């Protein structure tokens, strides 16, 4: 488990995330700390504009009440605030329907560029058993999870294997095959929404925030080894809205998904960030 903090958007409560590849002080399971204790995204219409009125009660939109239209107060929300308000509304709507949601973000391993996201919602099952979770997973191997709210399965690829992440809150969140002499495929989520829907500029407009990150390196024999180059992906993500919607009870995980066995192929490997809201 690693801590990250958005003063630099890469550092944690215990150590700078930039030191992630060279220090083990913040790594490994700390179950006493644990976490901060979809349906798909088409369930909820995206809000591309947010308007709170001009605040002066005169209906002229100038913000000063004199009717001259000089607009000396008020104004539109920035892209991050709009995206954050939209996300929080979508989460609230899902909660009203008895659902819990997670955001899954896929990113290029080599550059950290975010490929897209998917909002996944399901009926929570806090008592989900191991057997029940395996029924949802194509790659129902050994549970590698370091938290109590998800199963993270790894099926060792003798020839074919893979990874499945099943949340007790939000159901199946990620699944992908790993091939010994070839290249695996992402089975879920395959269809991604435009990452631009999650806003931009959040590092400049949002307050500092601390988040605990659980890491899984499926390219290494020891799946708790540090994640090489994860800083670039997290830096990109800190500029978007999802991490700023994290609250008490959320779990944030990062998976290195290699697709193949052996040396990581940067052309095909991905980082998968899962933000599982309570």
């Amino acid at each position: 488990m690693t801590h990250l903090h958005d003063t630099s958007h890469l550092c944690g409560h215990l150590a700078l995330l930039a030191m992630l590849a060279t220090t083990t002080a913040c790594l490994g399971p700390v179950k006493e700390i644990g976490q901060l204790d979809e349906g798909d995204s088409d369930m909820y219409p995206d809000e591309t504009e947010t308007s709170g009125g001009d605040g002066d009660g005169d209906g002229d939109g100038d913000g000063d009440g004199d009717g001259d239209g000089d607009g000396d107060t008020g104004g539109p929300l920035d892209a991050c605030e709009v995206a954050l308000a939209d996300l929080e509304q979508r989460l609230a709507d899902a909660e009203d329907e008895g659902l819990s949601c997670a955001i899954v973000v896929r990113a290029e391993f080599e550059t950290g560029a975010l490929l897209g996201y998917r909002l996944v919602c399901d009926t929570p099952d806090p008592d989900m058993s191991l057997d029940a979770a395996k029924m949802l997973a194509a790659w129902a191997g050994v549970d590698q999870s370091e938290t109590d709210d998800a199963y993270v399965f790894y099926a060792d690829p003798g020839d074919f294997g893979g990874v499945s992440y099943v949340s007790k809150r939000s159901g199946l969140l990620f699944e992908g095959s790993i091939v010994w002499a070839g290249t695996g495929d992402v089975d879920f989520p395959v269809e991604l929404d435009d990452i631009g829907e999650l806003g931009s500029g959040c590092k400049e407009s949002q307050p500092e925030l601390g988040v605990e990150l659980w890491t899984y390196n499926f390219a290494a024999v020891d799946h708790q080894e540090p994640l090489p180059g994860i800083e670039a992906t997290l830096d990109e993500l800190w500029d978007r809205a999802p991490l700023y919607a994290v609250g008490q009870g959320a779990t944030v995980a990062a998976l290195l998904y290699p697709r193949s066995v052996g040396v990581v192929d940067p052309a095909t490997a991905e980082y998968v960030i899962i933000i599982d809201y309570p």
Side-chain angles (χ1 to χ4, degrees), residues 132-187:
K134 286 187 174 184
M135 292 292 291
L136 300 176
W139 303 108
V142 178
D143 180 25
Q144 306 288 313
S145 177
E146 299 296 343
T147 69
D148 293 330
D149 49 29
Y151 295 99
V152 185
F153 295 119
Y154 176 76
D156 192 17
D159 287 311
F160 299 93
V163 176
S164 297
Y165 190 109
V166 180
S167 166
K168 294 181 182 180
R169 292 194 289 253
S170 309
L172 178 65
L173 298 181
F174 177 77
E175 195 158 70
S177 59
I178 300 174
V179 180
W180 180 268
T183 303
D185 293 312
V186 174
D187 301 311

Side-chain angles (χ1 to χ4, degrees), residues 67-236:
D68 62 7
D70 57 11
D72 48 20
T73 61
L77 298 176
D78 67 23
C80 180
E81 291 173 318
V82 171
L84 184 56
D86 174 68
L87 174 57
E88 290 174 339
Q89 184 62 57
R90 294 165 75 182
L91 295 175
D93 289 346
E95 184 177 6
D96 289 344
E97 296 183 18
L99 303 175
S100 182
C101 299
I103 279 186
V104 183
V105 178
R106 289 170 51 191
E108 292 182 356
F109 169 80
E110 190 169 31
T111 67
L114 307 183
L115 299 172
Y117 83 100
R118 195 70 174 170
L119 181 68
V120 183
C121 303
D122 204 346
T123 303
D125 183 3
D127 299 320
M128 181 187 294
S129 67
L130 179 65
D131 288 341
K134 286 187 174 184
M135 292 292 291
L136 300 176
W139 303 108
V142 178
D143 180 25
Q144 306 288 313
S145 177
E146 299 296 343
T147 69
D148 293 330
D149 49 29
Y151 295 99
V152 185
F153 295 119
Y154 176 76
D156 192 17
D159 287 311
F160 299 93
V163 176
S164 297
Y165 190 109
V166 180
S167 166
K168 294 181 182 180
R169 292 194 289 253
S170 309
L172 178 65
L173 298 181
F174 177 77
E175 195 158 70
S177 59
I178 300 174
V179 180
W180 180 268
T183 303
D185 293 312
V186 174
D187 301 311
F188 184 83
V190 177
E191 296 183 3
L192 299 176
D193 294 309
D194 187 347
I195 200 68
E197 296 176 5
L198 299 182
S200 61
C202 292
K203 288 186 287 188
E204 287 71 33
S205 67
Q206 296 302 306
E208 296 179 359
L209 179 69
V211 174
E212 293 173 344
L213 179 71
W214 295 91
T215 60
Y216 301 91
N217 186 341
F218 291 112
V221 174
D222 179 359
H223 297 154
Q224 292 303 313
E225 283 192 15
L227 301 181
I230 188 64
E231 298 91 344
T233 295
L234 295 176
D235 193 42
E236 289 282 339

Side-chain angles (χ1 to χ4, degrees), residues 53-67:
D54 60 18
D56 60 3
D58 62 3
D60 60 10
D62 60 10
D64 61 4
D66 60 9

Side-chain angles (χ1 to χ4, degrees), residues 219 258 260-265:
S260 56
V261 178
V263 178
V264 175
D265 182 355

